[in-house]
Amino acid sequence: MSIDNVSDIWDQLFGAQPDPPGVLVLVTAAIALVAVAFRPVWRIARNAITIAHEGGHAVIALLTGRKLRGIRLEFDTSGLTLSAGRPTGPGMILTLLAGYVAPSLIGVLGAWLLGGNRITLLLWLAVALLLLMLINIRNAFGAVSVIVTGAIVFGVSWFADPPVQAAFAYVGVWFLLIGGVRPVGELQNQRSRGRMPESDADQLARITHVPALFWVFVFFVTNLAALAAGVFLLAGQFLNGSTPWT
């Protein structure tokens, strides 16, 4: 690869893309909202939320000095991240906290990158994180899920035209922001029926001696705040967006 080619890739990765049409921000938000609200679509698309959820557990486990044992992603969109270390203490608490808030916080990061028109950088970061996650997947369905997701993101980032890349990136970020809220409601619904005795919230309750409902509330408020932050960041793109695509 020549120096010129490396320079071109660097410019493509870290350079800002043109402003998207303002209407794209609204249309992609509507698409993401439908994907979250419409149950048949949600059942499939929720796998992306699970990937982000388990990835959040894994990253915080490593950052707090725990040893990552592996990640499983299941067909029913549930998941499990195993790590070794002290069963109590700040590291375990932060690891348990990370799952339900990870999709929304990743969505805020994505909204910030989109606010700077760093669409290519956003897509390539997603591919890199998926590759790192794949190394730690310990079941066949999980590996297929991550590979397919990564292949789609890479394909769009490498082969698609800028308008398609922008639409894909905006739908993805909106989906993380909006979709990060729904699992918290599902969590409490399942807990109220006694179907999730080992949920993240219940494990936090046992470790901290603070009621599980408090931790559900923390998840919910954090994700709503992330959604509000994402709306604020992306609203600027709507107001400043171009009319025709140039």
Side-chain angles (χ1 to χ4, degrees), residues 31-39 41-58 71-81 97-108 130 133 137 141-142 145-146 149-150 153 170-187 200 219 223 226-227:
I31 292 172
L33 181 60
V34 170
V36 173
F38 189 48
R39 184 176 294 274
V41 178
W42 173 246
R43 286 176 179 173
I44 299 173
R46 196 186 191 283
N47 282 291
I49 299 294
T50 303
I51 289 172
H53 177 118
E54 301 304 331
H57 282 314
I71 302 169
R72 295 180 62 90
L73 304 173
E74 305 296 348
F75 184 75
D76 62 357
T77 73
S78 65
L80 177 65
T81 298
L97 271 172
Y100 276 98
V101 302
S104 296
L105 296 181
I106 294 171
V108 173
L130 287 167
M133 188 172 184
I137 294 293
F141 179 80
S145 296
V146 174
T149 303
V153 178
Y170 274 89
V171 169
V173 167
W174 277 121
F175 180 75
L176 289 171
L177 290 168
I178 300 171
V181 178
R182 178 166 177 172
V184 181
E186 294 175 341
L187 165 66
D200 294 349
F219 297 153
N223 292 355
L227 175 58

Side-chain angles (χ1 to χ4, degrees), residues 26-175:
L26 292 181
V27 171
T28 52
I31 292 172
L33 181 60
V34 170
V36 173
F38 189 48
R39 184 176 294 274
V41 178
W42 173 246
R43 286 176 179 173
I44 299 173
R46 196 186 191 283
N47 282 291
I49 299 294
T50 303
I51 289 172
H53 177 118
E54 301 304 331
H57 282 314
V59 169
I60 298 303
L62 290 172
L63 290 177
T64 56
R66 300 180 64 81
K67 185 173 182 180
L68 187 61
R69 295 295 192 187
I71 302 169
R72 295 180 62 90
L73 304 173
E74 305 296 348
F75 184 75
D76 62 357
T77 73
S78 65
L80 177 65
T81 298
L82 295 175
S83 63
R86 287 185 58 193
T88 59
M92 190 63 192
I93 292 172
L94 290 173
T95 298
L96 289 169
L97 271 172
Y100 276 98
V101 302
S104 296
L105 296 181
I106 294 171
V108 173
L109 174 61
W112 177 72
L113 289 172
L114 289 180
N117 288 337
R118 296 317 198 265
I119 296 170
T120 302
L121 178 59
L122 170 63
L123 296 176
W124 284 25
L125 281 174
V127 172
L129 291 173
L130 287 167
L131 286 174
L132 291 174
M133 188 172 184
L134 181 61
I135 298 171
N136 294 287
I137 294 293
R138 295 295 180 264
N139 66 322
F141 179 80
V144 171
S145 296
V146 174
I147 290 171
V148 169
T149 303
I152 292 171
V153 178
F154 175 77
V156 171
S157 68
W158 193 261
F159 298 107
D161 293 331
V164 177
Q165 292 182 359
F168 181 84
Y170 274 89
V171 169
V173 167
W174 277 121
F175 180 75

